[in-house]
């Protein structure tokens, strides 16, 4: 198994991502939490901002979607060229098809669960 160090940018200065990214230039990638204010109460940024991040760093982006309707939106993040897209089981209509769509666009697909969701829910 390959270990990667991918710092989260959640506490970064959102106005100065370029300089913030330089401070973690030795990392293996950047973890990006995308929150929509609906699936989770917090609001961060969306696809447009992630596309801009892709333009200002050569580090791979590991995108964690905490959003409603990831079935439709997750493939768009993969299409933007991010390294990986992780989606929440609880928000998905069809986890297998969404994973296939992410992979078809060239990204790795990940599945996340909320703390109170039993692992048995995703074993299949």
């Amino acid at each position: 198994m390959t270990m990667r160090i991918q710092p989260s940018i959640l506490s970064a200065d959102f106005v100065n991502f370029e300089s913030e990214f330089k401070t973690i230039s030795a990392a293996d990638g950047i973890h990006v939490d995308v929150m929509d204010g609906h699936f989770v109460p917090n609001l961060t940024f969306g696809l447009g901002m992630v596309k801009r991040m892709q333009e200002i760093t050569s580090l791979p982006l590991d995108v964690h979607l905490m959003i409603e309707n990831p079935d439709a939106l997750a493939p768009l993040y993969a299409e933007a060229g991010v390294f990986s897209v992780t989606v929440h089981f609880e928000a998905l209509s069809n986890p297998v098809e969404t994973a296939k769509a992410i992979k078809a666009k060239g990204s790795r697909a990940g599945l996340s669960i909320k703390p109170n969701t039993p692992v048995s829910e995703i074993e299949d």
Side-chain angles (χ1 to χ4, degrees):
M1 177 188 270
T2 302
M3 185 183 304
R4 293 185 180 88
I5 305 296
Q6 299 179 327
S8 172
I9 59 159
L10 195 54
S11 63
D13 179 353
F14 288 9
V15 177
N16 295 302
F17 277 131
E18 197 161 3
S19 64
E20 294 283 293
F21 288 176
K22 287 178 184 173
T23 69
I24 57 171
S25 61
D28 298 311
I30 300 171
H31 182 81
V32 181
D33 287 308
V34 174
M35 302 179 214
D36 65 3
H38 300 281
F39 181 70
V40 294
N42 296 349
L43 179 64
T44 55
F45 28 76
L47 183 58
M49 184 70 82
V50 171
K51 286 180 178 180
R52 179 68 180 126
M53 290 175 194
Q54 283 283 113
E55 294 172 3
I56 64 172
T57 185
S58 59
L59 293 174
L61 299 183
D62 168 42
V63 175
H64 177 194
L65 299 179
M66 291 175 266
I67 62 172
E68 289 183 344
N69 198 17
D71 298 283
L73 297 173
L76 300 177
Y77 285 86
E79 193 172 273
V82 303
F83 176 77
S84 61
V85 180
T86 299
V87 291
H88 272 269
F89 171 75
E90 299 85 356
L92 291 165
S93 298
N94 193 329
V96 173
E97 289 305 313
T98 299
K100 287 179 182 178
I102 291 168
K103 292 172 85 173
K105 299 290 183 179
S107 295
R108 290 186 179 188
L111 185 64
S112 184
I113 58 174
K114 289 184 173 184
N116 291 331
T117 300
V119 173
S120 60
E121 294 268 337
I122 63 167
E123 286 177 338
D124 287 341

